[in-house]
Amino acid sequence: MKALSLNVPEHRVRVNALGYGYDSGGSACRSWRYETRSREIFFMGTMVSAARVKLSDVARDAGVSAATVSRAIAKPELLSPETLARVRASAQRLGYLPDGAARALASGRSMTIGAIVPTLDSAIFARALQAMQATLAQSGYLLLVASHEASPAAETQAVRALLGRGVDGLMLVGAERAPETTALLRTSGLPVVLTWCGDGHFTAVTIDNAMAGRLAAQHLISLGHRRIGMIVGHLQFNDRQRARLAGARLALEEAGLSLPDSLVVEQSLTLAGGRAGCAMLLDLDDRPTALIGGIDLFAIGCLEEAHARGMAVPDDLSVVGIDGLDMSAHVSPGLTTVHVPTGRIGNLAAQTLIAMVARRPVERETLLPVELVVRRSSQTLPPH
């Protein structure tokens, strides 16, 4: 039944899909009736607070038991997709809102998952969070997000805050953190999933960051480059960047070359940081013929700096990034990069946390592959 709006003496009354009557101020009538053919509404008595759609109303509309509706709220994974979809459709149509406190008390869950990332100003973490949110929403979970801006103390505060909110699980980035934070996580007993890097103690969805750096360096070595520089994020409290640098150094050492500290520049994780780091390396008397960006934004910053100096990429300078940002395929020239399955990281982190909350078995660590994507920003070193 569609909502009706009718004029009756002294009051204007609205009837919702379940037949609850409201006056123009939004209050419900204590006693009322409506006649469907004439659509006339009569009510008597004093006004009380607005009536709420009940769980039993949803059950009746969906053609299931109240227990089934309760399971759809507290443990949706126990229902078939068809039944869950029917219950959710009825709840949405009727405007049913479950009592959060009662739901949490009944199920022992808040239906929220926390995620703490180094920064919100990053396409990489934004993509992972979006994938997490989409996956969590399918099971009725809400994602709460915090960032720490590469501060161990701020990460500890964020963990405390989310634990205080009663989240059912946490996603964190990297394996390096303050001992106090690790102690908090262990004491809480909550499901925790680390991403990008693991530590062997917590469940993790990771990539081989060292392999990413190694692939980038091996590619440039295969093109004849011998003097290669690298721009990385600040290495303190960033195990991902340290691993990528170590992988690049290993590849060079295996080829009888080296990546000395003089050819490594630490910068903030921004495009401007990449451009500044590139400028420092290109100002060297014996400048490198190729550069690796520890993230794609660094490499894109290198393209900008090279263009500003009138240099041609890749004729005068080859550039390789790591991450596989969407924009990397659309800059000029297209950026050679090591692709990291960022969306898959977020998706698997969410799936793993949902399973852990439900006390289902999960893999202790899932290692996702990285792969080199060759585009136009790198080429064989021209003869000089």
Side-chain angles (χ1 to χ4, degrees):
M1 180 185 298
K2 294 183 178 179
L4 309 175
S5 189
L6 299 150
N7 286 312
V8 296
E10 299 184 359
H11 290 279
R12 182 174 176 81
V13 176
R14 183 173 176 83
V15 178
N16 69 10
L18 291 178
Y20 294 113
Y22 299 86
D23 71 355
S24 58
S27 298
C29 306
R30 171 172 293 175
S31 62
W32 49 266
R33 67 181 177 84
Y34 65 89
E35 208 287 324
T36 57
R37 283 180 296 178
S38 66
R39 295 294 192 266
E40 292 178 341
I41 297 175
F42 303 91
F43 59 93
M44 303 166 289
T46 59
M47 311 304 290
V48 297
S49 60
R52 291 185 59 181
V53 179
K54 300 177 182 178
L55 184 146
S56 58
D57 298 321
V58 177
R60 184 166 52 252
D61 185 81
V64 299
S65 67
T68 297
V69 177
S70 180
R71 280 193 293 272
I73 297 169
K75 297 182 178 180
E77 67 276 5
L78 297 182
L79 299 184
S80 70
E82 295 78 10
T83 301
L84 184 60
R86 190 163 73 250
V87 172
R88 287 179 174 173
S90 292
Q92 183 175 5
R93 181 168 56 254
L94 301 180
Y96 175 68
L97 294 174
D99 186 303
R103 178 177 61 188
L105 182 62
S107 67
R109 305 179 193 173
S110 66
M111 300 305 292
T112 58
I113 295 293
I116 304 173
V117 296
T119 176
L120 296 175
D121 187 21
S122 164
I124 292 299
F125 297 127
R127 183 189 298 174
L129 291 172
Q130 178 61 37
M132 279 195 72
Q133 171 62 32
T135 303
L136 290 170
Q138 292 175 3
S139 294
Y141 283 86
L142 179 68
L143 181 64
L144 302 181
V145 177
S147 66
H148 55 69
E149 303 303 327
S151 165
E155 186 184 48
T156 302
Q157 292 175 350
V159 168
R160 287 187 183 279
L162 288 172
L163 291 178
R165 295 270 181 178
V167 296
D168 295 327
L170 282 171
M171 181 277 267
L172 303 173
V173 174
E176 182 182 10
R177 52 191 35 87
E180 180 184 0
T181 308
T182 301
L184 273 174
L185 296 172
R186 289 177 173 171
T187 302
S188 73
L190 284 183
V192 174
V193 171
L194 306 183
T195 54
W196 273 267
C197 287
D199 64 0
H201 300 293
F202 293 103
T203 302
V205 177
T206 67
I207 63 163
D208 191 336
N209 287 281
M211 178 57 71
R214 188 172 182 175
L215 287 174
Q218 286 176 338
H219 171 66
L220 291 171
I221 294 167
S222 73
L223 297 175
H225 294 278
R226 296 295 178 264
R227 188 165 174 79
I228 299 170
M230 188 166 182
I231 306 165
V232 296
H234 295 295
L235 299 178
Q236 185 176 12
F237 197 48
N238 194 327
D239 45 14
R240 289 86 62 204
Q241 289 292 296
R242 289 202 306 272
R244 294 176 186 187
L245 174 58
R249 277 188 160 140
L250 179 60
L252 285 159
E253 289 171 4
E254 290 173 343
L257 305 170
S258 66
L259 180 54
D261 289 343
S262 60
L263 291 180
V264 177
V265 177
E266 295 182 39
Q267 290 288 331
S268 58
L269 297 172
T270 62
L271 189 149
R275 184 165 181 177
C278 179
M280 295 173 65
L281 292 170
L282 293 181
D283 283 340
L284 295 174
D285 291 336
D286 186 12
R287 70 189 187 191
T289 62
L291 296 178
I292 299 171
I295 60 173
D296 273 3
L297 278 183
F298 285 162
I300 295 171
C302 290
L303 299 183
E304 292 296 316
E305 181 61 23
H307 292 160
R309 290 172 178 244
M311 298 175 64
V313 177
D315 294 341
D316 299 323
L317 180 72
S318 284
V319 179
V320 177
I322 300 174
D323 274 334
L325 290 178
D326 290 341
M327 71 174 74
S328 298
H330 304 289
V331 295
S332 182
L335 180 67
T336 296
T337 183
V338 178
H339 180 262
V340 174
T342 310
R344 187 67 176 143
I345 291 173
N347 174 266
L348 280 179
Q351 290 181 7
T352 302
L353 283 166
I354 291 170
M356 292 173 73
V357 171
R359 301 185 183 279
R360 298 197 301 269
V362 298
E363 292 290 334
R364 187 64 174 176
E365 181 169 344
T366 302
L367 180 66
L368 299 178
V370 296
E371 63 175 327
L372 181 71
V373 179
V374 179
R375 299 194 181 102
R376 293 178 52 245
S377 68
S378 57
Q379 73 171 15
T380 301
L381 179 65
H384 291 285

